Amino acid sequence: MGDTFQTIADPHASAQDAARLAGRVVEWLVAEGIVLADAEPGWALSEHPAHPPGPDWHKAVTDARWGSPEGVAVHTRHRVFHSIGDPGPHTATCPRCRATVAEDDVPSRFGTAMETWHETGSGSVDCPACAATVPLPAWTWSDDVFAFARLGFEFWNWPALSEDFRTRIAGFLEGHRTVFLLGKI
């Protein structure tokens, strides 16, 4: 059967803003009864503390009959968020000129930058079309397979999050672009 996750990531949150924005979202989630206030280890698939579901967790999903949710892990440090289980193909699009980098070129163009982002929280790639040096968080990926971000909310084993719920979370992020990733392990 496996475990599933849904992630809402904010690739535009700066290192200075990530904790503040996370706090705003968590405060709202607690006020709505969607999660409990205290994050605890064991509510996600790692020892990373996660917020257990609250009494009104069903407000976040399209159909509460299809699951028994686990925790919501909140990440406020640089991270490579990714979907697992989607075989592709995956392309990257330059935010400046809208040129697309084909899946076959992604490893050679993005590999080193991805490793650098993972280690340091910084990384950029030169667009093959316009030659602009573009930070990794600014690139968009087909099927939202990657998000390079300092802020993300991982919902473990929750039924499908509703579009309205995802929009409401985005409303707390000061107009930043959000990326919604799905995965199963």
Side-chain angles (χ1 to χ4, degrees):
M1 183 128 176
D3 292 292
T4 62
F5 60 90
Q6 299 168 77
T7 304
I8 299 170
D10 177 350
H12 292 211
S14 68
Q16 296 78 19
D17 288 338
R20 177 181 60 81
L21 293 172
R24 289 172 65 182
V25 171
V26 170
E27 184 178 291
W28 172 73
L29 292 171
V30 170
E32 290 288 315
I34 295 169
V35 301
L36 300 180
D38 295 325
E40 305 169 4
W43 283 96
L45 282 186
S46 71
E47 287 307 308
H48 186 86
H51 295 271
D56 293 323
W57 63 267
H58 61 276
K59 292 180 179 179
V61 302
T62 58
D63 191 341
R65 293 178 297 169
W66 304 115
S68 177
E70 292 182 33
V72 178
V74 180
H75 299 279
T76 58
R77 299 190 61 194
H78 69 272
R79 186 176 178 92
V80 179
F81 294 97
H82 53 86
S83 294
I84 297 176
D86 184 358
H90 303 295
T91 59
T93 301
C94 175
R96 304 211 176 150
C97 71
R98 308 305 303 160
T100 299
V101 176
E103 179 179 36
D104 293 345
D105 294 334
V106 167
S108 62
R109 290 212 176 268
F110 287 85
T112 300
M114 288 176 168
E115 289 174 23
T116 302
W117 174 269
H118 177 72
E119 293 170 10
T120 68
S122 180
S124 47
V125 174
D126 293 338
C127 175
C130 69
T133 300
V134 180
L136 277 177
W139 289 85
T140 57
W141 294 84
S142 61
D143 300 319
D144 287 341
V145 69
F146 288 113
F148 299 87
R150 290 181 174 83
L151 177 58
F153 305 89
E154 287 178 334
F155 293 77
W156 284 94
N157 292 315
W158 285 58
L161 298 175
S162 73
E163 187 70 36
D164 178 62
F165 175 74
R166 293 174 16 210
T167 300
R168 291 186 72 192
I169 284 184
F172 288 97
L173 303 177
E174 301 177 348
H176 295 176
R177 174 175 67 92
T178 58
V179 178
F180 182 62
L181 304 102
L182 301 170
K184 182 176 181 176
I185 52 175

